[in-house]
Amino acid sequence: MPRLLHHLNQNAERWALLVFYVMLVVTMFVEVVRRELLAYSSIWGEEIVRYAFIYLAWIGAAAAMRERAHIRIDVILQYCGPRLKALLYILGDLVMFAVAIVAFYWSLETVLVSAKFGSVTHGLRISQVWFLSAVPIGFALLLLRIAQSLIRDIADLRYGRPVFLGNKLFD
């Protein structure tokens, strides 16, 4: 079981990103072929692409947080010592954690309201909760990855190791 959890910790977002990206590309390709060859397009194809892209963006944000590959301005960090650099990363993670908690709460509120009133999508005619859930799921993943980053950075600071600067998301 620990090996499975380790594998999920390392690759869960990558596999989810792959699934949503393939879904997005295949659906878009089918819709373009249908539009150009058959002069017909569907509403559901556009919706699938839109919602797959939303999931792709939020899961990608969590994956970038894990690898510290998100966009940041780090010119100042080049002139800081290892201890100050670790403290700045910890401060940034704490601020991001607070923002993610607030955003998670409000995005979950939207999902609950949609569930309460039973809203459905226009083309697929399925519950919009499945698609609105992308945002709280993304923020929940972000909170998990920020917590892992905080634990790693505090351990690095405590034991005098250089702070983790990040990896490339896909090699």
PDB file of all heavy atoms in Angstrom, residues 5 15 23 30 45 48-49 52 67 75 79 90 94-95 100 106 114 118 120 125 129 136 142 147 150 152:
ATOM      1  N   LEU A   5       0.639   4.507  -2.663  1.00  0.00           N
ATOM      2  CA  LEU A   5       0.487   5.901  -2.252  1.00  0.00           C
ATOM      3  C   LEU A   5       1.646   6.750  -2.763  1.00  0.00           C
ATOM      4  O   LEU A   5       1.446   7.876  -3.191  1.00  0.00           O
ATOM      5  CB  LEU A   5       0.374   6.003  -0.728  1.00  0.00           C
ATOM      6  CG  LEU A   5      -0.921   5.466  -0.123  1.00  0.00           C
ATOM      7  CD1 LEU A   5      -0.859   5.553   1.394  1.00  0.00           C
ATOM      8  CD2 LEU A   5      -2.116   6.202  -0.659  1.00  0.00           C
ATOM      9  N   TRP A  15      -1.187  11.709 -14.664  1.00  0.00           N
ATOM     10  CA  TRP A  15      -2.140  10.829 -15.340  1.00  0.00           C
ATOM     11  C   TRP A  15      -3.469  11.542 -15.584  1.00  0.00           C
ATOM     12  O   TRP A  15      -4.069  11.402 -16.654  1.00  0.00           O
ATOM     13  CB  TRP A  15      -2.348   9.542 -14.548  1.00  0.00           C
ATOM     14  CG  TRP A  15      -1.190   8.618 -14.704  1.00  0.00           C
ATOM     15  CD1 TRP A  15      -0.224   8.341 -13.782  1.00  0.00           C
ATOM     16  CD2 TRP A  15      -0.852   7.876 -15.872  1.00  0.00           C
ATOM     17  NE1 TRP A  15       0.699   7.470 -14.311  1.00  0.00           N
ATOM     18  CE2 TRP A  15       0.336   7.163 -15.590  1.00  0.00           C
ATOM     19  CE3 TRP A  15      -1.423   7.740 -17.128  1.00  0.00           C
ATOM     20  CZ2 TRP A  15       0.938   6.331 -16.519  1.00  0.00           C
ATOM     21  CZ3 TRP A  15      -0.813   6.908 -18.055  1.00  0.00           C
ATOM     22  CH2 TRP A  15       0.352   6.216 -17.742  1.00  0.00           C
ATOM     23  N   MET A  23      -8.690  13.738 -23.927  1.00  0.00           N
ATOM     24  CA  MET A  23     -10.121  13.970 -24.128  1.00  0.00           C
ATOM     25  C   MET A  23     -10.347  15.273 -24.895  1.00  0.00           C
ATOM     26  O   MET A  23     -11.147  15.317 -25.835  1.00  0.00           O
ATOM     27  CB  MET A  23     -10.830  14.035 -22.769  1.00  0.00           C
ATOM     28  CG  MET A  23     -12.326  14.214 -22.865  1.00  0.00           C
ATOM     29  SD  MET A  23     -13.144  14.493 -21.276  1.00  0.00           S
ATOM     30  CE  MET A  23     -12.416  13.298 -20.229  1.00  0.00           C
ATOM     31  N   VAL A  30     -12.478  15.539 -33.518  1.00  0.00           N
ATOM     32  CA  VAL A  30     -13.740  15.008 -34.048  1.00  0.00           C
ATOM     33  C   VAL A  30     -14.686  16.140 -34.444  1.00  0.00           C
ATOM     34  O   VAL A  30     -15.313  16.091 -35.501  1.00  0.00           O
ATOM     35  CB  VAL A  30     -14.401  14.069 -33.012  1.00  0.00           C
ATOM     36  CG1 VAL A  30     -15.840  13.739 -33.391  1.00  0.00           C
ATOM     37  CG2 VAL A  30     -13.587  12.795 -32.862  1.00  0.00           C
ATOM     38  N   GLY A  45     -19.870  18.545 -27.882  1.00  0.00           N
ATOM     39  CA  GLY A  45     -18.430  18.544 -28.146  1.00  0.00           C
ATOM     40  C   GLY A  45     -17.764  19.794 -27.603  1.00  0.00           C
ATOM     41  O   GLY A  45     -16.695  19.739 -26.988  1.00  0.00           O
ATOM     42  N   ILE A  48     -17.666  19.523 -23.774  1.00  0.00           N
ATOM     43  CA  ILE A  48     -16.641  18.600 -23.292  1.00  0.00           C
ATOM     44  C   ILE A  48     -15.264  19.253 -23.359  1.00  0.00           C
ATOM     45  O   ILE A  48     -14.470  19.161 -22.424  1.00  0.00           O
ATOM     46  CB  ILE A  48     -16.665  17.280 -24.088  1.00  0.00           C
ATOM     47  CG1 ILE A  48     -17.895  16.465 -23.677  1.00  0.00           C
ATOM     48  CG2 ILE A  48     -15.392  16.472 -23.866  1.00  0.00           C
ATOM     49  CD1 ILE A  48     -18.082  15.191 -24.441  1.00  0.00           C
ATOM     50  N   VAL A  49     -14.978  19.928 -24.459  1.00  0.00           N
ATOM     51  CA  VAL A  49     -13.685  20.602 -24.604  1.00  0.00           C
ATOM     52  C   VAL A  49     -13.528  21.686 -23.542  1.00  0.00           C
ATOM     53  O   VAL A  49     -12.480  21.805 -22.896  1.00  0.00           O
ATOM     54  CB  VAL A  49     -13.526  21.182 -26.030  1.00  0.00           C
ATOM     55  CG1 VAL A  49     -12.331  22.102 -26.120  1.00  0.00           C
ATOM     56  CG2 VAL A  49     -13.400  20.050 -27.032  1.00  0.00           C
ATOM     57  N   ALA A  52     -13.159  19.984 -20.052  1.00  0.00           N
ATOM     58  CA  ALA A  52     -11.872  19.283 -19.959  1.00  0.00           C
ATOM     59  C   ALA A  52     -10.739  20.289 -19.776  1.00  0.00           C
ATOM     60  O   ALA A  52      -9.793  20.048 -19.011  1.00  0.00           O
ATOM     61  CB  ALA A  52     -11.636  18.436 -21.213  1.00  0.00           C
ATOM     62  N   GLU A  67       5.819  20.631  -8.154  1.00  0.00           N
ATOM     63  CA  GLU A  67       7.161  20.671  -8.730  1.00  0.00           C
ATOM     64  C   GLU A  67       7.800  22.051  -8.619  1.00  0.00           C
ATOM     65  O   GLU A  67       8.887  22.259  -9.145  1.00  0.00           O
ATOM     66  CB  GLU A  67       7.109  20.247 -10.199  1.00  0.00           C
ATOM     67  CG  GLU A  67       6.588  18.850 -10.421  1.00  0.00           C
ATOM     68  CD  GLU A  67       7.484  17.790  -9.811  1.00  0.00           C
ATOM     69  OE1 GLU A  67       8.710  18.028  -9.684  1.00  0.00           O
ATOM     70  OE2 GLU A  67       6.957  16.728  -9.460  1.00  0.00           O
ATOM     71  N   VAL A  75      13.981  36.850  -9.170  1.00  0.00           N
ATOM     72  CA  VAL A  75      15.237  37.573  -9.355  1.00  0.00           C
ATOM     73  C   VAL A  75      15.884  37.864  -8.008  1.00  0.00           C
ATOM     74  O   VAL A  75      17.090  37.682  -7.823  1.00  0.00           O
ATOM     75  CB  VAL A  75      14.990  38.884 -10.150  1.00  0.00           C
ATOM     76  CG1 VAL A  75      16.235  39.730 -10.215  1.00  0.00           C
ATOM     77  CG2 VAL A  75      14.478  38.565 -11.520  1.00  0.00           C
ATOM     78  N   TYR A  79      19.929  36.525  -5.036  1.00  0.00           N
ATOM     79  CA  TYR A  79      20.847  37.274  -4.193  1.00  0.00           C
ATOM     80  C   TYR A  79      20.682  36.953  -2.701  1.00  0.00           C
ATOM     81  O   TYR A  79      21.329  37.584  -1.871  1.00  0.00           O
ATOM     82  CB  TYR A  79      20.656  38.779  -4.425  1.00  0.00           C
ATOM     83  CG  TYR A  79      20.882  39.157  -5.869  1.00  0.00           C
ATOM     84  CD1 TYR A  79      19.808  39.461  -6.699  1.00  0.00           C
ATOM     85  CD2 TYR A  79      22.161  39.161  -6.425  1.00  0.00           C
ATOM     86  CE1 TYR A  79      20.002  39.791  -8.025  1.00  0.00           C
ATOM     87  CE2 TYR A  79      22.362  39.488  -7.758  1.00  0.00           C
ATOM     88  CZ  TYR A  79      21.283  39.805  -8.546  1.00  0.00           C
ATOM     89  OH  TYR A  79      21.481  40.115  -9.862  1.00  0.00           O
ATOM     90  N   ILE A  90       8.770  29.720   2.336  1.00  0.00           N
ATOM     91  CA  ILE A  90       7.783  29.370   3.362  1.00  0.00           C
ATOM     92  C   ILE A  90       6.733  30.471   3.467  1.00  0.00           C
ATOM     93  O   ILE A  90       5.527  30.194   3.530  1.00  0.00           O
ATOM     94  CB  ILE A  90       8.476  29.096   4.715  1.00  0.00           C
ATOM     95  CG1 ILE A  90       9.276  27.794   4.639  1.00  0.00           C
ATOM     96  CG2 ILE A  90       7.456  29.040   5.850  1.00  0.00           C
ATOM     97  CD1 ILE A  90      10.204  27.556   5.814  1.00  0.00           C
ATOM     98  N   LEU A  94       2.748  30.073   2.741  1.00  0.00           N
ATOM     99  CA  LEU A  94       1.732  30.404   3.746  1.00  0.00           C
ATOM    100  C   LEU A  94       0.682  31.358   3.170  1.00  0.00           C
ATOM    101  O   LEU A  94      -0.522  31.186   3.405  1.00  0.00           O
ATOM    102  CB  LEU A  94       2.384  31.009   4.988  1.00  0.00           C
ATOM    103  CG  LEU A  94       3.166  30.033   5.875  1.00  0.00           C
ATOM    104  CD1 LEU A  94       3.911  30.794   6.957  1.00  0.00           C
ATOM    105  CD2 LEU A  94       2.241  28.987   6.471  1.00  0.00           C
ATOM    106  N   VAL A  95       1.131  32.348   2.417  1.00  0.00           N
ATOM    107  CA  VAL A  95       0.194  33.280   1.787  1.00  0.00           C
ATOM    108  C   VAL A  95      -0.684  32.530   0.782  1.00  0.00           C
ATOM    109  O   VAL A  95      -1.912  32.693   0.759  1.00  0.00           O
ATOM    110  CB  VAL A  95       0.944  34.451   1.107  1.00  0.00           C
ATOM    111  CG1 VAL A  95       0.024  35.265   0.231  1.00  0.00           C
ATOM    112  CG2 VAL A  95       1.620  35.319   2.154  1.00  0.00           C
ATOM    113  N   ALA A 100      -5.740  29.940  -0.943  1.00  0.00           N
ATOM    114  CA  ALA A 100      -6.367  28.702  -1.421  1.00  0.00           C
ATOM    115  C   ALA A 100      -7.506  28.260  -0.504  1.00  0.00           C
ATOM    116  O   ALA A 100      -8.511  27.726  -0.981  1.00  0.00           O
ATOM    117  CB  ALA A 100      -5.321  27.600  -1.556  1.00  0.00           C
ATOM    118  N   TRP A 106     -15.206  29.372  -1.147  1.00  0.00           N
ATOM    119  CA  TRP A 106     -16.166  30.030  -2.024  1.00  0.00           C
ATOM    120  C   TRP A 106     -16.487  29.194  -3.251  1.00  0.00           C
ATOM    121  O   TRP A 106     -17.611  29.227  -3.753  1.00  0.00           O
ATOM    122  CB  TRP A 106     -15.683  31.419  -2.410  1.00  0.00           C
ATOM    123  CG  TRP A 106     -15.811  32.358  -1.263  1.00  0.00           C
ATOM    124  CD1 TRP A 106     -14.796  32.905  -0.539  1.00  0.00           C
ATOM    125  CD2 TRP A 106     -17.024  32.821  -0.652  1.00  0.00           C
ATOM    126  NE1 TRP A 106     -15.292  33.676   0.475  1.00  0.00           N
ATOM    127  CE2 TRP A 106     -16.672  33.650   0.430  1.00  0.00           C
ATOM    128  CE3 TRP A 106     -18.368  32.617  -0.911  1.00  0.00           C
ATOM    129  CZ2 TRP A 106     -17.610  34.269   1.234  1.00  0.00           C
ATOM    130  CZ3 TRP A 106     -19.309  33.236  -0.109  1.00  0.00           C
ATOM    131  CH2 TRP A 106     -18.926  34.056   0.950  1.00  0.00           C
ATOM    132  N   SER A 114     -25.329  24.972  -6.809  1.00  0.00           N
ATOM    133  CA  SER A 114     -25.710  24.302  -8.053  1.00  0.00           C
ATOM    134  C   SER A 114     -26.378  22.960  -7.764  1.00  0.00           C
ATOM    135  O   SER A 114     -27.360  22.595  -8.424  1.00  0.00           O
ATOM    136  CB  SER A 114     -24.485  24.106  -8.936  1.00  0.00           C
ATOM    137  OG  SER A 114     -24.833  23.429 -10.115  1.00  0.00           O
ATOM    138  N   GLY A 118     -30.178  22.015  -8.718  1.00  0.00           N
ATOM    139  CA  GLY A 118     -30.217  21.018  -9.784  1.00  0.00           C
ATOM    140  C   GLY A 118     -29.922  21.545 -11.169  1.00  0.00           C
ATOM    141  O   GLY A 118     -30.524  21.090 -12.150  1.00  0.00           O
ATOM    142  N   VAL A 120     -28.284  22.043 -14.772  1.00  0.00           N
ATOM    143  CA  VAL A 120     -27.700  21.113 -15.732  1.00  0.00           C
ATOM    144  C   VAL A 120     -27.027  21.893 -16.854  1.00  0.00           C
ATOM    145  O   VAL A 120     -27.339  23.067 -17.088  1.00  0.00           O
ATOM    146  CB  VAL A 120     -28.751  20.148 -16.322  1.00  0.00           C
ATOM    147  CG1 VAL A 120     -29.325  19.242 -15.258  1.00  0.00           C
ATOM    148  CG2 VAL A 120     -29.845  20.896 -17.044  1.00  0.00           C
ATOM    149  N   ARG A 125     -26.784  18.042 -20.801  1.00  0.00           N
ATOM    150  CA  ARG A 125     -27.946  17.855 -19.934  1.00  0.00           C
ATOM    151  C   ARG A 125     -27.630  16.967 -18.731  1.00  0.00           C
ATOM    152  O   ARG A 125     -28.434  16.141 -18.325  1.00  0.00           O
ATOM    153  CB  ARG A 125     -29.141  17.268 -20.709  1.00  0.00           C
ATOM    154  CG  ARG A 125     -29.538  18.032 -21.956  1.00  0.00           C
ATOM    155  CD  ARG A 125     -29.825  19.470 -21.752  1.00  0.00           C
ATOM    156  NE  ARG A 125     -31.167  19.718 -21.246  1.00  0.00           N
ATOM    157  CZ  ARG A 125     -31.516  20.846 -20.683  1.00  0.00           C
ATOM    158  NH1 ARG A 125     -30.650  21.809 -20.533  1.00  0.00           N
ATOM    159  NH2 ARG A 125     -32.732  21.037 -20.265  1.00  0.00           N
ATOM    160  N   VAL A 129     -22.808  20.202 -11.425  1.00  0.00           N
ATOM    161  CA  VAL A 129     -21.944  19.970 -10.268  1.00  0.00           C
ATOM    162  C   VAL A 129     -20.651  19.277 -10.691  1.00  0.00           C
ATOM    163  O   VAL A 129     -19.577  19.586 -10.180  1.00  0.00           O
ATOM    164  CB  VAL A 129     -22.693  19.143  -9.196  1.00  0.00           C
ATOM    165  CG1 VAL A 129     -21.763  18.633  -8.123  1.00  0.00           C
ATOM    166  CG2 VAL A 129     -23.813  19.971  -8.601  1.00  0.00           C
ATOM    167  N   PRO A 136     -13.104  23.513  -6.780  1.00  0.00           N
ATOM    168  CA  PRO A 136     -12.744  23.066  -5.433  1.00  0.00           C
ATOM    169  C   PRO A 136     -11.801  21.859  -5.424  1.00  0.00           C
ATOM    170  O   PRO A 136     -10.949  21.748  -4.548  1.00  0.00           O
ATOM    171  CB  PRO A 136     -14.084  22.738  -4.764  1.00  0.00           C
ATOM    172  CG  PRO A 136     -15.105  22.750  -5.808  1.00  0.00           C
ATOM    173  CD  PRO A 136     -14.556  23.506  -6.978  1.00  0.00           C
ATOM    174  N   LEU A 142      -4.325  21.801  -4.586  1.00  0.00           N
ATOM    175  CA  LEU A 142      -3.350  22.855  -4.289  1.00  0.00           C
ATOM    176  C   LEU A 142      -3.027  22.894  -2.796  1.00  0.00           C
ATOM    177  O   LEU A 142      -1.859  23.027  -2.414  1.00  0.00           O
ATOM    178  CB  LEU A 142      -3.888  24.217  -4.731  1.00  0.00           C
ATOM    179  CG  LEU A 142      -3.593  24.659  -6.139  1.00  0.00           C
ATOM    180  CD1 LEU A 142      -4.351  25.925  -6.466  1.00  0.00           C
ATOM    181  CD2 LEU A 142      -2.116  24.868  -6.358  1.00  0.00           C
ATOM    182  N   ALA A 147       0.816  22.162   1.412  1.00  0.00           N
ATOM    183  CA  ALA A 147       1.176  21.576   2.712  1.00  0.00           C
ATOM    184  C   ALA A 147       2.430  20.728   2.584  1.00  0.00           C
ATOM    185  O   ALA A 147       3.340  20.800   3.428  1.00  0.00           O
ATOM    186  CB  ALA A 147       0.009  20.757   3.260  1.00  0.00           C
ATOM    187  N   LEU A 150       5.352  23.088   2.238  1.00  0.00           N
ATOM    188  CA  LEU A 150       5.693  23.693   3.537  1.00  0.00           C
ATOM    189  C   LEU A 150       6.478  22.724   4.405  1.00  0.00           C
ATOM    190  O   LEU A 150       7.491  23.100   5.013  1.00  0.00           O
ATOM    191  CB  LEU A 150       4.425  24.131   4.266  1.00  0.00           C
ATOM    192  CG  LEU A 150       3.863  25.480   3.890  1.00  0.00           C
ATOM    193  CD1 LEU A 150       2.466  25.661   4.456  1.00  0.00           C
ATOM    194  CD2 LEU A 150       4.778  26.586   4.357  1.00  0.00           C
ATOM    195  N   ARG A 152       8.297  20.186   3.430  1.00  0.00           N
ATOM    196  CA  ARG A 152       9.623  20.004   2.828  1.00  0.00           C
ATOM    197  C   ARG A 152      10.521  21.200   3.107  1.00  0.00           C
ATOM    198  O   ARG A 152      11.684  21.051   3.498  1.00  0.00           O
ATOM    199  CB  ARG A 152       9.467  19.788   1.319  1.00  0.00           C
ATOM    200  CG  ARG A 152      10.779  19.615   0.570  1.00  0.00           C
ATOM    201  CD  ARG A 152      10.560  19.548  -0.929  1.00  0.00           C
ATOM    202  NE  ARG A 152       9.897  20.764  -1.387  1.00  0.00           N
ATOM    203  CZ  ARG A 152       8.946  20.792  -2.309  1.00  0.00           C
ATOM    204  NH1 ARG A 152       8.533  19.697  -2.880  1.00  0.00           N
ATOM    205  NH2 ARG A 152       8.405  21.942  -2.673  1.00  0.00           N
TER     206      ARG A 152
END
